[in-house]
Amino acid sequence: MPPTRPRRRIAAALKPVLNPVLPPVLMAVLAASLLAPPPVQAAAAPVNLALAGAATASSVELDRADFVAAHVNDGDTATRWSSKYQDDNWVQIKLAQPAAVDHVKLTWPNACARDFVLQTSTDGSSWTDAASVRRDTCPRTDVIEVRAGEPVSYVRMQGRQRWSSFGYSISEFEIWDAPPAPPAPTLGLLPKPVSVEETGGEPFTLHRNTRVLASGAGAQAPAGYLARALRPATGFGLPVVRNGRGPAPIVVEVGDGKGPRGHEAEGYTLAVTPRQVTLRAGTAAGALNGVQTLRQLLPQWIESDTPVATAWTIPAVTITDYPRFAHRGMMLDVARSFYPVSEVKTYIDAAAQFKVNRLHLHLTDDQGWRIAIDDPADNPSGIDYGLLTEVSGATAMTDRGTEPGITGYYTKADYTEIVRYAGQNGMTVVPEIDMPGHTNAALHSIPQLNTPGARPRLQPGQTTVPHNGTGAVGYSSFDADSPVTYEFVKHVLTEIAELTPGPYLHIGGDEAHVTSHADYTRMVDAFTREVAALGKTVVGWNEYAGTALPQDKAVVQFWNGNRQAVANAVNDRGAKAILSPAPHTYVPQKQDPRQPQGGTWACGGACGLDRHYNWDPGTYIPGIQESSVLGVESALWGEFIRRIGQAQYYSFPRLIATAEVGWTPQAQRDYTDFRTRLSEAGGRLTVQGTNFFPAADVSWRMKALAQPVTVAAGQPSGATWTVTAPGRAAADLEASVVWSDGQREDVTLTTTREGSIPDMRINAAFTATSLRAFDQAGTHTGTLSVRVPGEAPVEGRVTVTVR
Ligand code: ACM
């Protein structure tokens, strides 16, 4: 549940406006009546005036026909105008008839301008500077706000300085008469439900007296989760009641026969009418999935942790939904760099809203050991298990990343708390003890494990191998010939099994490059037998697919390499598969070439959002049925990534792609449609305080919201708007307010946290504050318009009551 979420910037921005005025509940009622969104106006489609114009230029490179000016307005970015190799060249377009111009878009394929002026003219001889532009990258696209209200007949790019020794090259010179139409509304549901019918008409609106009725024993937890998720932003009490006297507007019903037939385990139906919200499921897990959908149907401001005044509407819909796969996982490598319990909870909060339901904890590796193990009563080799965390809880990755890896470990109470919290969020914990390779941290802390067959070998004078904080892999191994290995592993697995209510124990098994095949098989077979004896289902990375897996009770997690071996384990031993193919699920791989940190080996370059979305787990392993695929898992390894902010920056939005790959039927998945829905989620994540990478191929939508204020006559109103604009800098945004008396006020947008790709952070919400004072008592309204050149503006209306 969200209770441990950090205080969010949005709340800080809204608070000073809220407090002096009215109690939040009254404010929200006021807002619901006064702040209804303005009606969307149908505008004529914007026109690229350049297409009907005539282009001329001051020069043409080598006087070649394929570089003439006419190529800049032919609608084809494959052709271009290029100038001679001089600084002061120009290209211009004479419009077919005089027209108002909103913005100009110049596409430079190479040989850009470093410094140019965009000019307009009514007669082609006297010119007005619309904008001076200096930019130091190439190739690039410039969108330049012109907003010439008066008609012009010519638009010219007048070069000042070239970017290289060549001239200027422009492949398209677009002249638009209006900003684009606002993007079509989308419910923005992620992952996409199996069936959504927008029934239209009036929405349902949450009120201060809304109650939540929990019907059926399994309904209490999801109904409570819903109420706790909605209380902070609404400021409403939202009591959860067991049986209703009088109609309860939100009903959560859980019981046999309530879920979608054949999909009872995790399915749900959700019906929203103006009078009632009805969520039905066969299980608490199914109802929790419906709760996460319901959250996304509310305005993004619902994610604020302090009260916000707005209309809390839920559109009228009928949804039937259930997952394609049972396992929709995320792995957190806490071994290379540690995450304290509070950060794990934050990571859970952010992922649970997308119906991620497995948390795989990579608890041990060469660089560190993160889980406390007690000494057993029967301890033949006299191992001090406390050394695992005392010694190797204090080590971590030392090279790569923005700082050394974080050290630390979970006590048993910590781990139990993670398991509990994950469970409350619908997630099962899958603990991993990685063996027989990736074991340098165990060997570094436990002398008895350092027998002659173990690797690395002890050097003279050593009792344990040294710590190794590098990113090297495949150099460590337990000793297959030593009884201590089996004694140690049996005890560790026994303790982990006792702490773990979920059905799975992961034994790693990857990259054991210094273990002979015979030794590998001998050890892994013993470890899998141990897991089976503990009543758990064994999971291992795909290298272990060829070992003697217990029949019908093993899971192979594919990451890289031999897919046929996975198919053999499935077909010969009844194993199930979890798919984490590196190019499609490994989030430490760079998601954009502009990221300084991150790997590139999996995709031969950046592994963008599209790679994480566009694959089919049902056909990924040739020769197996989809029914043998348990599901998918996003993997966050710890070589580069430090602390929760970076973990979120690498995971989001690619983890959302994986969540949809695991949930939505393949036939209903479409990358363009996904990006449209995702464009709505950026503001939601911003309000929540979840860090994410503002992927360049998503048109992240802006939103603006104001809080009503009451002021004395003659005093600055201090009216404040909050604007979410993922991936934008303050310098990208232009904002002004038009007041009900006709006055226009330019306002500045500020943010407490500027986005930065090298620093791995998204910008926080922006704040705009009005300095306008009113002499007349009464009610005044102001409409903020925020604009990015070349994009549709967004608006937010405020009400100022002057006493
Ligand atoms: C792995 O990436 N070594 C599973």
Side-chain angles (χ1 to χ4, degrees), residues 553-766:
K553 210 167 164 25
V555 178
V556 180
Q557 182 164 13
F558 178 85
W559 69 281
N560 193 20
N562 187 350
R563 297 187 211 189
Q564 185 58 47
V566 180
N568 294 346
V570 167
N571 294 322
D572 300 346
R573 309 207 60 90
K576 301 278 192 207
I578 294 170
L579 301 182
S580 304
H584 303 301
T585 66
Y586 268 32
V587 294
Q589 297 292 302
K590 282 185 193 188
Q591 50 205 319
D592 184 293
R594 292 172 295 168
Q595 270 195 290
Q597 298 278 337
T600 53
W601 60 266
C603 297
C607 291
L609 184 62
D610 56 333
R611 297 294 294 259
H612 283 237
Y613 192 83
N614 285 322
W615 66 290
D616 180 1
T619 56
Y620 195 80
I621 305 288
I624 70 170
Q625 303 286 319
E626 179 163 328
S627 56
S628 294
V629 178
L630 263 190
V632 296
E633 193 168 294
S634 172
L636 187 139
W637 295 102
E639 284 88 346
F640 301 97
I641 301 171
R642 308 284 173 260
R643 307 178 191 275
I644 185 66
Q646 293 183 11
Q648 291 181 335
Y649 195 77
Y650 277 93
S651 290
F652 294 95
R654 290 181 296 174
L655 174 58
I656 307 174
T658 303
E660 181 152 312
V661 169
W663 182 278
T664 306
Q666 185 69 20
Q668 286 177 234
R669 292 206 298 113
D670 173 78
Y671 186 55
T672 300
D673 170 62
F674 172 69
R675 284 182 300 167
T676 300
R677 284 176 286 113
L678 185 61
S679 68
E680 275 280 331
R684 194 170 289 274
L685 295 171
T686 303
V687 174
Q688 221 166 61
T690 298
N691 204 21
F692 67 101
F693 182 76
D697 59 348
V698 177
S699 301
W700 301 100
R701 295 181 193 208
M702 294 194 295
K703 298 265 157 117
L705 181 73
Q707 299 298 287
V709 288
T710 300
V711 288
Q715 295 298 313
S717 78
T720 303
W721 289 260
T722 301
V723 176
T724 56
R728 300 296 184 187
D732 299 335
L733 304 166
E734 194 180 280
S736 59
V737 183
V738 175
W739 290 100
S740 42
D741 60 6
Q743 275 207 34
R744 193 186 125 109
E745 179 189 5
D746 286 329
V747 289
T748 309
L749 291 172
T750 58
T751 179
T752 52
R753 192 173 83 148
E754 283 280 356
S756 163
I757 290 178
D759 297 330
M760 291 183 262
R761 56 168 196 247
I762 179 81
N763 51 270
F766 295 88

Side-chain angles (χ1 to χ4, degrees), residues 331 336 360 362 365 432 434 438 473 506 508-511 541-543 557-560 580 582 586 601 635 637 639:
M331 190 207 78
R336 292 190 175 86
H360 169 181
H362 185 75
D365 210 304
E432 178 185 352
D434 199 353
H438 288 276
V473 294
H506 200 308
D510 58 321
E511 297 178 309
W541 296 106
N542 55 278
E543 287 94 325
Q557 182 164 13
F558 178 85
W559 69 281
N560 193 20
S580 304
Y586 268 32
W601 60 266
W637 295 102
E639 284 88 346

Side-chain angles (χ1 to χ4, degrees), residues 253-265 267-269 280-283:
E253 284 181 37
V254 176
D256 287 346
K258 305 274 189 202
R261 193 190 289 253
H263 305 283
E264 288 81 3
Y268 67 93
T269 61
R280 289 200 178 90
T283 62

Side-chain angles (χ1 to χ4, degrees), residues 34-56:
L34 296 178
L35 292 184
V40 178
Q41 280 159 17
V47 175
N48 175 7
L49 304 166
L51 292 174
T56 50

